[in-house]
Amino acid sequence: MMAAGALVLLDQASKAWAARHLRFTGEPYTAIAGFLNFDYAENNGVAFSQLQNGGDPGRWALSGLALIAALAVLYFFWRTARSDDRILGACALLLAGILGNLTDRIRLGFVIDFIDVQFGGWHYPTFNVADSCICIGACLLLLDLFLNRKKKGKAETADNEQTAADN
């Protein structure tokens, strides 16, 4: 949980930096030419700027969904064995990302995005630290699901071989 708190602080500090240094310049700050820029954007919708036209009711509906998601992640966190570092880490990342963007949405009415990545002609949608936490946490959960399914399949094969050997 301390990691989630630290990540929320990092997210909020980076968004404050973006608001102070990028909002009124009109020009992106190039960190790595042709790859990484910092460019201020306000996202009223959800991931990749979808559902932008919800207005105030949409803002509160998305905030309510985020709050429910945060509570679900907390519940899952508390029910996970303390020895399961991958799931606990994924939960901390998900919680940090959800709370970081929820804080913006409640406080500002939109989420601040500013990280702009591109590879040649390919341009990824602008995102923030909280979005990164959500994506990495979700990938860790998918990885765990895949690894557990693979481990379960091997265990069932070993059990079937043992049963066959016993007969």
Side-chain angles (χ1 to χ4, degrees):
M1 280 299 141
M2 288 180 63
L7 288 168
V8 170
L9 290 176
L10 175 64
D11 174 66
Q12 291 298 300
S14 66
K15 289 173 180 175
W17 173 84
R20 270 194 311 275
H21 293 94
L22 302 172
R23 184 180 353 184
F24 301 113
T25 64
E27 293 293 320
Y29 172 78
T30 301
I32 303 173
F35 176 69
L36 177 63
N37 298 312
F38 297 121
D39 193 11
Y40 181 86
E42 295 177 0
N43 181 354
N44 296 311
V46 292
F48 308 116
S49 299
Q50 299 297 309
L51 304 174
Q52 287 277 345
N53 299 323
D56 223 27
R59 167 191 179 187
W60 295 111
L62 291 173
S63 296
L65 287 173
L67 185 59
I68 291 168
L71 292 172
V73 170
L74 275 173
Y75 175 78
F76 193 62
F77 181 86
W78 288 323
R79 301 215 11 117
T80 300
R82 296 298 123 204
S83 60
D84 198 343
D85 293 337
R86 190 172 37 244
I87 295 293
L88 294 173
C91 287
L93 286 164
L94 286 169
L95 186 62
I98 292 166
L99 292 178
N101 284 340
L102 177 62
T103 300
D104 278 10
R105 195 169 307 283
I106 289 172
R107 190 171 62 90
L108 305 170
F110 55 85
V111 173
I112 295 174
D113 290 332
F114 66 95
I115 302 170
D116 183 22
V117 175
Q118 59 193 31
F119 297 105
W122 180 80
H123 189 230
Y124 194 77
T126 306
F127 61 99
N128 58 47
V129 173
D131 296 337
S132 298
C133 290
I134 291 169
C135 288
I136 294 168
C139 286
L140 286 174
L141 285 178
L142 288 172
L143 177 66
D144 189 73
L145 180 69
F146 174 75
L147 292 176
N148 279 341
R149 183 174 289 163
K150 193 173 184 179
K151 189 179 353 175
K152 186 177 179 183
K154 284 182 181 180
E156 287 176 359
T157 301
D159 287 345
N160 290 343
E161 289 173 359
Q162 183 64 37
T163 302
D166 290 343
N167 292 331

